Amino acid sequence: MPSLPDMTTPNLAALAGDATAQGGHPAVPAPDAGQPEFTEWLQRVGDNCLILGHRLSEWCGHGPALEEDIAIANQSLDLIGQCQLWLGLAAEVEGRGRSADDLAYLRDVLAFRNVVLVERPNGDFGQTLMRQFLFDAFHLELLRGLESSTDARVADIASKAVKEVAYHLERSADLVIRLGDGTADSHARMQKALDLLFPYTGEMFADDATDRAMANAGIAPLPSTLKPAWDAVVAEVLTAASLTHPGEVWQHGTTGTGGGKRGIHSEHLGYLLAEMQFLQRAYPGATW
Amino acid sequence: METAIRPDEAQIWDWLSQVPDPEIPVISLTDLGIIRDVEWQDDTLVVTVTPTYSGCPATTIINLDIESALRDHGIDKLRLDRRLSPPWTTDWLTKEGRQKLADYGIAAPIDGTAADGRLVGRIARLAGTSNLVITCPRCGSNATQKISQFGSTPCKASYRCTDCLEPFDYFKCI
């Protein structure tokens, strides 16, 4: 399926031509040479934060208890803050004159690079928490690996975000244990959430050409290398939560060319973007 | 050559120590430990600031407050730089800042207890075997309980005292 024409990326050749014709210099940043994979990868990291941050924000005012409502909104804020840093760097590396806001609000669904897990609808509170735990455990391992990135900008962002995400994992693991090992109803809901979401976790650890290019450059760890640590944390928490590990199940987005990392999303992302991007679509360039 | 009177850096630090944190106005930006550097580069004053949290909504207000405070003191050429690394930690809160927080009713962070995500620490806390004691800033009791890991601002958690029965904020340790 062809994507819609790109209306938002500046036409650099035309801008440069205009500027030259007027005798001025084109105010266009130079792209970091030969790093399309780097831009692509930064969007994956940033989009995971953005989409999960937006999903969590949907709970604002609807949490099961005031404290949970506040906690979820705070986590959303952390993730959206991290997304600004990642997408800001993505825009800088891309060098096409776009900003983090342009990437967040003006790309269409096929240009998003988040894993499908984070765009899953919130479901009940158990599903939201289970999604958060499964992602937090991956996110923490990823950020720990990125702290020693060969790119200082990546290492700096990771060293900031890793502390926030350690805190997130502490909370989500705590609640998965308390609800999994809670009442019959809460246990059943957590098990159902786990069985529903587990098939979406494999994509986080599936390596592709972009991942290999990043690993070869020393910018990021290969996703598959994060799996053993994630497996250990998940197994330990699920055991403490008296939940049954789903075991080896079929995983979405790990074969062929599918998966959110390559822009093949579930139907849910489009609805999310329709809400998240509404204002910039209706009133292009609006600021306040 | 024009030689404008250039306040020295100690003077600038002093001015910044009078700028309150917009969310917790009892402590200043220097108490909070987010001003990382003050330096003249030729005739431009460069103030380096680190954010507390990536998404802290107070960040832009803080930058605005720094700028207007220094402009009020006659500094025209001013640049604010953001520095992410090393990342802010609650260990950077000054002694004075901790005292002011306690007086205000916010329990100050306990150093060295920052969330590190290690499972051992988490399980210890979940099992109640952690020896971490948060003292109630109101009555001084050690009989306190965590209500939520997150509180009214990104930098605080919610606790309650089982002696005086009052809820209170505790600085999240990162």
Side-chain angles (χ1 to χ4, degrees):
Chain A
M1 180 181 130
S3 54
L4 292 169
D6 184 351
M7 307 286 283
T8 56
T9 308
N11 181 337
L12 299 189
L15 283 174
D18 288 352
T20 309
Q22 290 164 16
H25 298 286
V28 175
D32 287 24
Q35 294 184 325
E37 292 97 346
F38 193 14
T39 307
E40 173 82 6
W41 177 84
L42 284 164
Q43 288 182 31
R44 292 178 177 182
V45 183
D47 287 348
N48 280 340
C49 296
L50 175 62
I51 300 304
L52 187 55
H54 184 84
R55 273 289 183 231
L56 292 178
S57 79
E58 293 172 1
W59 273 104
C60 191
H62 304 278
L66 181 60
E67 289 76 14
E68 292 310 319
D69 198 291
I70 290 171
I72 291 180
N74 267 291
Q75 268 178 294
S76 168
L77 203 57
D78 284 345
L79 288 169
I80 291 169
Q82 292 167 18
C83 148
Q84 279 183 320
L85 299 172
W86 291 121
L87 291 186
L89 182 54
E92 182 185 320
V93 171
E94 181 191 49
R96 289 167 74 192
R98 295 202 279 186
S99 66
D101 278 350
D102 291 340
L103 291 176
Y105 295 121
L106 301 176
R107 279 178 300 159
D108 212 336
V109 64
L110 295 177
F112 274 80
R113 294 291 178 262
N114 58 281
V115 293
V116 172
L117 175 68
V118 299
E119 73 200 39
R120 293 287 311 170
N122 284 336
D124 62 15
F125 191 59
Q127 286 175 29
T128 293
L129 280 177
M130 184 58 75
R131 181 186 63 197
Q132 194 65 37
F133 167 65
L134 296 171
F135 180 77
D136 286 345
F138 156 78
H139 202 191
L140 184 66
E141 291 307 323
L142 172 66
L143 291 169
R144 280 183 176 160
L146 295 179
E147 282 186 283
S148 53
S149 172
T150 51
D151 188 287
R153 297 167 296 184
V154 169
D156 280 2
I157 298 174
S159 71
K160 181 78 204 152
V162 74
K163 300 171 124 201
E164 295 164 359
V165 169
Y167 206 84
H168 296 176
L169 177 60
E170 199 171 294
R171 172 176 179 274
S172 59
D174 178 15
L175 286 172
V176 164
I177 293 171
R178 283 160 59 183
L179 291 173
D181 196 26
T183 65
D185 183 37
S186 74
H187 174 83
R189 283 172 183 255
M190 294 312 279
Q191 186 66 52
K192 192 176 160 201
L194 177 62
D195 295 341
L196 176 74
L197 295 170
F198 203 76
Y200 294 93
T201 56
E203 192 192 353
M204 299 189 288
F205 307 101
D207 305 331
D208 69 2
T210 300
D211 296 315
R212 281 186 284 273
M214 290 299 96
N216 289 338
I219 291 174
L222 207 55
S224 57
T225 63
L226 306 173
K227 184 96 179 344
W230 182 86
D231 278 337
V233 171
V234 168
E236 193 160 354
V237 170
L238 293 185
T239 302
S242 68
L243 293 170
T244 306
H245 194 295
E248 296 292 320
V249 295
W250 187 80
Q251 294 287 343
H252 293 274
T254 54
T255 54
T257 54
K261 283 163 74 168
R262 288 178 286 243
I264 308 303
H265 292 280
S266 65
E267 66 178 295
H268 305 293
L269 185 60
Y271 290 95
L272 182 152
L273 295 184
E275 183 171 320
M276 186 181 85
Q277 299 181 329
F278 169 79
L279 195 114
Q280 285 301 326
R281 298 278 185 198
Y283 305 96
T287 57
W288 63 89
Chain B
M1 182 178 121
E2 190 182 338
T3 50
I5 296 169
R6 216 174 67 170
D8 65 22
E9 285 155 15
Q11 176 67 70
I12 309 283
W13 277 102
D14 187 50
W15 286 336
L16 291 173
S17 75
Q18 292 160 33
V19 181
D21 175 79
E23 294 271 16
I24 312 166
V26 289
I27 58 171
S28 73
L29 299 184
T30 54
D31 284 333
L32 198 56
I34 59 169
I35 309 286
R36 302 314 299 159
D37 203 11
V38 169
E39 188 194 21
W40 285 100
Q41 289 180 4
D42 298 324
D43 59 349
T44 302
L45 180 68
V46 180
V47 179
T48 306
V49 186
T50 195
T52 52
Y53 284 80
S54 304
C56 181
T59 305
T60 47
I61 309 292
I62 286 171
N63 288 349
L64 197 67
D65 287 350
I66 292 172
E67 201 170 328
S68 49
L70 294 177
R71 289 205 191 288
D72 286 349
H73 286 291
I75 292 172
D76 298 326
K77 286 200 167 180
L78 178 65
R79 196 178 82 227
L80 293 181
D81 281 356
R82 182 186 72 191
R83 185 189 293 164
L84 290 177
S85 181
W88 181 77
T89 161
T90 27
D91 296 352
W92 290 349
L93 274 162
T94 63
K95 242 184 217 164
E96 298 75 31
R98 286 158 199 267
Q99 190 54 48
K100 289 182 205 166
L101 283 176
D103 295 344
Y104 188 60
I106 299 173
I110 296 173
D111 284 354
T113 58
D116 63 3
R118 285 193 195 101
L119 206 59
V120 184
R122 283 207 310 280
I123 298 296
R125 261 178 259 197
L126 299 179
T129 51
S130 163
N131 57 5
L132 186 64
V133 174
I134 315 295
T135 305
C136 172
R138 183 183 152 87
C139 73
S141 166
N142 286 336
T144 59
Q145 291 175 338
K146 182 170 74 185
I147 300 172
S148 171
Q149 269 161 303
F150 292 82
S152 55
T153 67
C155 56
K156 287 180 289 182
S158 304
Y159 275 71
R160 72 178 147 218
C161 175
T162 54
D163 277 338
C164 74
L165 305 178
E166 289 292 328
F168 65 93
D169 280 334
Y170 171 60
F171 237 81
K172 265 162 66 175
C173 289
I174 66 164

